[in-house]
Amino acid sequence: MVLSVSNIFSASVDEQFRVWLANDLWPQAKAQGISKKTFEAAFAGVKPNLKLPDLVMPGQKPKTPKAQHQAEFGAPGAYFAEKTVGALAAGGRSRSRTHARALLAAEQRFGVPGSIILAIWGRESGFGAAKIPHNAFEVLGTKAFMATRKDMFRKEVLAALAMLERGAISRAAMKSSWAGALGQPQFLPSSFLEHAVDMDGDSRADIWNSVPDTLGSIANYLDHHGWQKGRDWGFEVIVPENVSCALEGPDRGQKIAQWVQMGIRRVNGKPFPAHEARAQGFLLMPAGRNGPAFIVTPNFYVLKDYNMSDLYALFIGHVGDRIAYGDKSFAGRWGALDKLYRSDIAALQKALEGKGYDVGGADGLPGFKTRRSIGDWQAKNGRKATCFPDAALVRTLK
């Protein structure tokens, strides 16, 4: 039998993976109380899945991927397609009636509005309807062995082993997304161990089959991350041209009343609630001057802890509002943006870093530090500050 080069390479990776399991991961798992029986059952028949994104082959160096696999880090306008937003809002309103008792129990216990819980449940798993097809130990093992974020996934595969050891779930039922997330709330294993709760009274936290447990676990996660009861997540606003878009970010907050003094106002013309005006708020412009703008509260950044993306947190807040108050799109419109690859944005970030700007790392993702660095550079160089990457800017700075 003649093996192709690809088959030889795959066999080599498989062999290295088995050595890594035996000599590297198993000693640490054993030290954390995992039995040999649990460890062997978890990885029986498991091989690295080389089709997963963000992998670094043994002996190679990581590279910024050209494409972006997660929608949360893609084009802002596309992420808020009305077909998607409207369907989730309608589904949330329907389930707010069906699961009213479970939502009330979660809200009373953890202080998180039911509409926000529903928005996360809908986004993460289609209210429990989404198929979650992957072998969790194949995904987590592969990523702990050869992903760009090996250390993070090493923690998660060890947490998954702890779940098996404690009997939280059977090996056969241990299914995940391609990113290793579990169950209806799409928790990583460490989040399950820290935040999953029993809300239906059967003495086990079941985020795969129990709606009350799922809703309560989502609320518990947000509570543990600092959700401030009684505060909103944020408000859509109009930002005058004389207010710099580079003022964005969670480290540049001030009282909402001070933003108002600068000329920022709500799009609906109403004043901010008095308790909000006295509290701290932050400017958010996820597409710079090419899209809607917001004053957000600390609760926005709690939502962002669920999935480290401004667009994700904004999506959850917006869908939650539409579940609670009825359908109403953003007043601002998402403008057309140049199509750029992650590698293009990473090159732009590296150029700005070379000029002394803090872009939050050259990862190819236009987060708030990158956006405001762009705005600062544009203003200092006599250009209109847009606070968002475009093709001309990439060509100029690359």
Side-chain angles (χ1 to χ4, degrees):
M1 178 179 178
V2 179
L3 292 176
S4 68
V5 173
S6 61
N7 285 338
I8 292 172
F9 177 75
S10 179
S12 174
V13 173
D14 290 350
E15 291 166 3
Q16 291 180 67
F17 179 69
R18 301 313 300 185
V19 170
W20 173 79
L21 285 176
N23 297 340
D24 191 338
L25 189 63
W26 162 241
Q28 187 176 3
K30 181 181 179 182
Q32 294 186 11
I34 306 301
S35 68
K36 189 70 171 178
K37 179 180 178 181
T38 295
F39 191 86
E40 290 180 346
F43 291 104
V46 171
K47 295 181 179 181
N49 183 346
L50 303 185
K51 295 181 181 179
L52 295 172
D54 302 325
L55 301 183
V56 181
M57 296 302 167
Q60 297 183 7
K61 295 182 179 180
K63 298 178 180 178
T64 302
K66 190 173 185 180
Q68 175 51 257
H69 296 279
Q70 288 181 266
E72 289 84 4
F73 300 106
Y79 192 64
F80 290 90
E82 180 57 30
K83 182 179 180 180
T84 302
V85 174
L88 285 179
R93 285 193 293 273
S94 172
R95 287 162 178 82
S96 70
R97 298 184 290 272
T98 305
H99 303 294
R101 180 177 296 180
L103 287 164
L104 179 61
E107 185 166 352
Q108 288 179 336
R109 180 171 172 181
F110 302 109
V112 180
S115 56
I116 292 293
I117 300 170
L118 287 166
I120 292 176
W121 185 30
R123 183 62 187 176
E124 293 296 333
S125 65
F127 306 105
K131 293 182 179 180
I132 303 172
H134 296 285
N135 177 325
F137 285 100
E138 176 185 88
V139 172
L140 294 169
T142 299
K143 288 181 171 285
F145 174 57
M146 58 191 302
T148 54
R149 295 182 291 168
K150 291 193 294 186
D151 290 344
M152 187 200 90
F153 283 104
R154 186 184 188 91
K155 171 189 173 184
E156 297 304 334
V157 77
L158 289 166
L161 288 165
M163 290 173 61
L164 278 192
E165 188 71 32
R166 299 177 190 182
I169 186 174
S170 70
R171 169 64 178 78
M174 198 74 166
K175 299 294 184 180
S176 78
S177 70
W178 63 263
L182 308 169
Q184 295 187 45
Q186 284 290 274
F187 278 178
L188 287 171
S190 63
S191 290
F192 175 88
L193 295 176
E194 294 171 13
H195 310 300
V197 292
D198 169 35
M199 295 290 287
D200 59 15
D202 66 355
S203 300
R204 61 187 298 263
D206 182 1
I207 63 170
W208 296 271
N209 304 296
S210 170
V211 170
D213 290 4
T214 294
L215 301 178
S217 296
I218 291 170
N220 192 35
Y221 182 104
L222 299 178
D223 179 44
H224 282 172
H225 282 78
W227 185 270
Q228 295 184 9
K229 185 177 181 180
R231 292 207 68 184
D232 210 314
W233 67 268
F235 307 85
E236 188 181 359
V237 298
I238 296 172
V239 180
E241 289 295 327
N242 66 327
V243 176
S244 172
C245 52
L247 293 174
E248 183 183 6
D251 53 349
R252 296 185 178 177
Q254 56 185 336
K255 288 183 179 180
I256 292 179
Q258 292 175 288
W259 290 112
V260 173
Q261 289 174 359
M262 295 171 65
I264 290 176
R265 64 186 188 277
R266 294 177 67 183
V267 294
N268 62 11
K270 296 180 180 180
F272 289 91
H275 72 284
E276 295 286 8
R278 294 190 297 267
Q280 193 172 47
F282 313 88
L283 181 62
L284 172 74
M285 301 181 73
R289 288 286 181 181
N290 297 305
F294 307 85
I295 292 295
V296 299
T297 77
N299 284 343
F300 173 86
Y301 293 101
V302 174
L303 295 177
K304 188 174 175 180
D305 282 338
Y306 208 100
N307 181 324
M308 290 304 294
S309 159
D310 289 333
L311 294 186
Y312 177 89
L314 181 58
F315 186 97
I316 296 302
H318 180 53
V319 172
D321 282 351
R322 290 176 63 159
I323 291 171
Y325 309 119
D327 282 322
K328 189 172 184 180
S329 300
F330 293 132
R333 293 290 175 261
W334 302 101
L337 298 171
D338 293 343
K339 182 176 180 179
L340 298 172
Y341 292 112
R342 275 188 67 174
S343 51
D344 294 326
I345 297 172
L348 173 63
Q349 290 168 323
K350 289 176 183 177
L352 287 168
E353 282 183 330
K355 297 179 181 297
Y357 290 91
D358 176 11
V359 297
D363 56 5
L365 305 174
F368 74 89
K369 287 187 176 181
T370 295
R371 296 194 296 266
R372 71 189 187 190
S373 293
I374 289 172
D376 281 336
W377 182 88
Q378 289 170 323
K380 289 178 182 177
N381 287 272
R383 299 175 179 228
K384 181 180 178 181
T386 65
C387 294
F388 206 79
D390 58 56
L393 191 63
V394 170
R395 288 192 300 269
T396 299
L397 289 172
K398 199 170 180 179

